Amino acid sequence: FLWPGLATAQTVGLSVPDTTAPRGSVVLLPVRVDSSLTGRNVTAFELQFQFNNQLLDPDSVVLAGTMLDGSGWSILTNRPASNLMRIAGAGTTPLSGTGVLFYLRLKLKADGWTSFVFAEPTHNILNQGVPPIIVKDGSVSVTPAPAIGISPDGDVLAVGERRTFTAYSGQAPYLWSTTDPAVATITADGQLTALSRGTTHVAVE
C-alpha cells in the first residue's frame, strides 16, 4: 500500500504492524518495507524503536525468511536506553523489492498496551538519508496469560471417599496430579480418591 504522497515523493515506506499476544509468550514482530527498494541502491540502514519496557523486551533480531536472509549483511543491535532498541545494518548487495526487512524477537512480560514507534528521525534512515523514508508506527497489546480453572476449588473428604474434579478454560487432553499422592490420588479423567489424613492440592495441565 502507499501512504499519501509516497509515489510522487519517491519515498520508501517502512512499517510495523499492530500485534496482540498473551503475556509470557515470545513473538516475532516484522519490520516491513512497503514500497520497492529495487534500483534505490540501499546498502545500509539505521532504525530505532521506542516502547514500554515494562511490558516487553526485544532481545534480538531474526533474519530467517526476511529480505536480509542470506544477504551477507552485518547487523548490529544496541540498547541506548531501556525503552529503546537501535538496529543498524550494512552490506555490499543492495536490497530490492518489498517484504519483511527483519523480525524483532519480543518477550512479553506484563499485561497492557504499548505503542511501538520509529523513534527520532535522525536514527531512522536508509544509507545516509537517501532515499528518504516515511514510517508507520504500530502497537503491541499484551493479553493475560491463559489459565486453566478447576472445579471444585476446595473440599473436605473422608478417607476412601471419592470426588470428581473438572477443568475448564483449557484444552483437552488434561494431565491431572496431586501434590501429595499419599493423601489422595487422581485418575486421568479427574476422579480423586482420598487415601489418608492430610492435605493435598490438585493440579491440572
Side-chain angles (χ1 to χ4, degrees):
F1 59 92
L2 298 177
W3 296 295
L6 187 61
T8 56
Q10 296 298 305
T11 304
V12 174
L14 301 179
S15 67
V16 291
D18 296 335
T19 301
T20 300
R23 172 172 44 87
S25 61
V26 175
V27 300
L28 297 181
L29 182 70
V31 177
R32 297 172 174 163
V33 177
D34 298 313
S35 45
S36 180
L37 294 179
T38 301
R40 309 303 298 273
N41 197 35
V42 173
T43 56
F45 68 83
E46 179 183 346
L47 300 173
Q48 179 169 272
F49 300 96
Q50 185 173 359
F51 46 86
N52 184 335
N53 62 295
Q54 300 299 313
L55 270 61
L56 56 87
D57 179 28
D59 65 359
S60 59
V61 171
V62 176
L63 302 184
T66 71
M67 297 171 68
L68 291 169
D69 190 2
S71 66
W73 279 42
S74 297
I75 305 296
L76 299 175
T77 62
N78 182 34
R79 293 289 290 270
S82 59
N83 65 336
L84 294 172
M85 186 170 190
R86 189 177 299 163
I87 302 97
T92 58
T93 303
L95 297 176
S96 62
T98 63
V100 176
L101 181 61
F102 56 81
Y103 293 100
L104 282 173
R105 185 176 184 271
L106 307 181
K107 295 181 178 179
L108 306 187
K109 303 189 298 183
D111 301 349
W113 179 95
T114 178
S115 56
F116 202 94
V117 303
F118 293 83
E120 302 177 19
T122 56
H123 291 297
N124 287 287
I125 58 173
L126 300 177
N127 296 334
Q128 297 300 313
V130 179
I133 66 172
I134 185 171
V135 298
K136 182 175 184 293
D137 299 327
S139 65
V140 178
S141 180
V142 186
T143 58
I148 302 174
I150 300 177
S151 179
D153 61 1
D155 210 343
V156 178
L157 304 180
V159 172
E161 193 174 359
R162 303 185 68 187
R163 185 72 75 242
T164 299
F165 282 78
T166 57
Y168 56 91
S169 299
Q171 182 175 345
Y174 294 108
L175 177 64
W176 293 93
S177 63
T178 60
T179 56
D180 191 342
V183 173
T185 59
I186 191 167
T187 62
D189 58 355
Q191 299 295 319
L192 181 135
T193 302
L195 301 178
S196 64
R197 292 168 58 92
T199 302
T200 185
H201 292 280
V202 175
V204 65
E205 297 180 57

